[in-house]
Structure formats: C-alpha cells, structure tokens
Amino acid sequence: MAICEALKTAPTKVLPPAGLAQLGVTINLRPRQRLALGREAEHIYIVIGGVLLLESLPQPSTRQIIDVFYPGDVVRTALIPNVSGVNLLSANQAEVVRIGLSRLENALESDRDSRQWIDCALARQYPRRLLHLATIGTLTGEERVVSMLIELGYRVGERGYEGARTFDLPLSRTDMADYLSLNADTLSRIMSRLRQSGMLGLAGRGRGYAPNFAALCAMSPLADAIKSLHGASEAASPNR
C-alpha cells in the first residue's frame, strides 16, 4: 500500500511486525520516566504500550508539550527539533522498542513489510500534528479540551453501553494544559463544567468516561477529522 493510500483508510495493524520489534531493545518505562534522545547515535523508538510526551522547556518558567505518541507511533530522534529542554517523557507506564537507525536501515532493505509499516506510521503522524495546530489556533478553550477527550476516546478508549465510551486519561492536568496551550486553572474549570453537565465522568484512577460519546463529539467542530486520524485503533481491536 502506498503512503497516500494509508492515509485514506484506518490502519488495521497498529503494532509493528514481529521481525521489526526484534531488531531493537524493549524498554519498560515508569510513569514520568524520561528517555534519552541520543542525537549522537541516531535511533528510533516504537511505542508498544502507554503514551509518550514530547516535552520542551525553553525557559525555566515555561513548559510546552509539543507532541503525543500512542501505541503504534514511531519517534525518530532526527525529526525532533533541537530546542532547549526537549525530552521524551512517559505519561504513564509504557513500553517502547529502541532500534539503532543504521541497523534499522540495513534490515529495511530486504524487509518490505517493515519498511511499509515504518513509512505509514510516520506518514499518519504528520496530519495529526497539523490538526493539533488547528486545534490550539482556532478553537475555544472548551473545544480544545473536548477535542482532546475525543482523541483519547478513539485512541485509548473502549465502547460502552448505549453510546458510552470509557478511556484512559494518561496525561496529568498539567500535561493536558501544556499540550492545549491553556492555563491550568482554566483547564480545571472546563473539566468541572463538563462533569457537572454530565458529559464527562471518572471511571476510576486514570480513567474517564463519556456517557454519550456522540454528544461529546458534537461539541467539537473537528470531531470528524479527529476520528479519521485517531479512530484507527478501533479497526485493530475487536472490543473497541
């Protein structure tokens, strides 16, 4: 499948081919653990489980979450801007495979399936970044938060009874505020309003639920675009 075709349809294979994963070293990460970017000897990370955050600390008093990586995403260190304080951070308990770039390139010369998987994974991530720019550049604060909850619902969520959906909340309040370019107090007020209105609930530690996920989607003008880019995981899991 060509890359352009991969972007038109939801991928059916989120995790990498077994041969690709065996090229590297599996690393299990604790919540809030950081990963070395290793710019001297370039490598990639493939996210197997959990969520990674790309964090930037350009000044001592400022912080920004630049990107979010889900299972099936590829982090190539050469594509990360060399800004001050840039780190890869595990939002929750996570698992990644680290592969040296030279070893990967040698293997991909003879492994067409793995090359296609890598190319498609990187290609799918690019429009997501553009959508995030549109989210923080054009939407209200409430619409940004709702859009993020919809993304989590599709990406790390499960369908529930009568249109409900439960999903992980791997980002802390601070992480979410920094990712959405919101003040932390503003984010807290928006989350409180969503809970009070019945649009959002808590299903335990680190889990949320939307009793009427369709109604939540109706609150974001980008819901259809989010589904097209993040709803892919539903095709890969029979219980979602």
Side-chain angles (χ1 to χ4, degrees):
M1 181 185 292
I3 294 177
C4 58
E5 294 175 348
L7 294 174
K8 295 177 182 177
T9 58
T12 57
K13 192 171 186 180
V14 173
L15 297 183
L20 182 58
Q22 291 170 1
L23 290 174
V25 177
T26 298
I27 303 174
N28 293 301
L29 301 168
R30 302 181 305 275
R32 318 309 295 177
Q33 185 174 344
R34 287 178 168 81
L35 279 169
L37 294 178
R39 297 184 185 277
E40 295 79 11
E42 190 188 344
H43 52 262
I44 70 165
Y45 291 109
I46 299 176
V47 184
I48 304 298
V51 174
L52 297 187
L53 308 176
L54 184 60
E55 172 191 59
S56 173
L57 303 166
Q59 300 179 32
S61 60
T62 60
R63 177 179 185 260
Q64 182 70 39
I65 300 298
I66 303 173
D67 209 346
V68 177
F69 299 98
Y70 297 99
D73 283 346
V74 174
V75 184
R76 182 172 175 181
T77 56
L79 301 180
I80 295 176
N82 191 17
V83 297
S84 177
V86 66
N87 292 292
L88 274 175
L89 174 73
S90 58
N92 53 0
Q93 186 171 337
E95 179 182 344
V96 301
V97 173
R98 183 179 64 198
I99 308 174
L101 186 62
S102 59
R103 185 176 187 185
L104 176 66
E105 290 177 339
N106 290 335
L108 294 185
E109 290 181 1
S110 58
D111 189 341
R112 182 176 179 181
D113 288 343
S114 292
R115 176 174 290 280
Q116 176 181 294
W117 189 91
I118 289 284
D119 289 344
C120 289
L122 289 170
R124 286 194 301 268
Q125 291 166 212
Y126 179 70
R128 281 166 36 192
R129 295 185 182 103
L130 297 182
L131 181 63
H132 179 63
L133 290 175
T135 298
I136 62 176
T138 63
L139 301 189
T140 66
E142 180 174 273
E143 289 170 340
R144 295 182 209 177
V145 175
V146 168
S147 296
M148 185 68 199
L149 295 174
I150 295 169
E151 178 178 316
L152 293 172
Y154 280 123
R155 196 74 193 204
V156 291
E158 298 177 358
R159 291 193 183 108
Y161 183 67
E162 292 187 346
R165 185 174 291 252
T166 60
F167 46 89
D168 290 339
L169 294 170
L171 279 71
S172 69
R173 291 289 179 90
T174 301
D175 292 337
M176 188 177 291
D178 290 342
Y179 185 55
L180 298 176
S181 294
L182 291 173
N183 179 277
D185 291 337
T186 300
L187 174 67
S188 293
R189 288 194 293 270
I190 293 171
M191 295 288 280
S192 295
R193 288 201 300 268
L194 291 173
R195 290 198 303 271
Q196 292 168 4
S197 67
M199 299 299 294
L200 177 67
L202 297 179
R205 184 176 178 84
R207 292 282 288 178
Y209 71 91
N212 188 337
F213 191 66
L216 186 70
C217 289
M219 297 177 66
S220 170
L222 297 180
D224 288 343
I226 295 169
K227 181 179 181 180
S228 71
L229 296 178
H230 289 279
S233 57
E234 298 198 332
S237 178
N239 67 339
R240 291 186 179 184

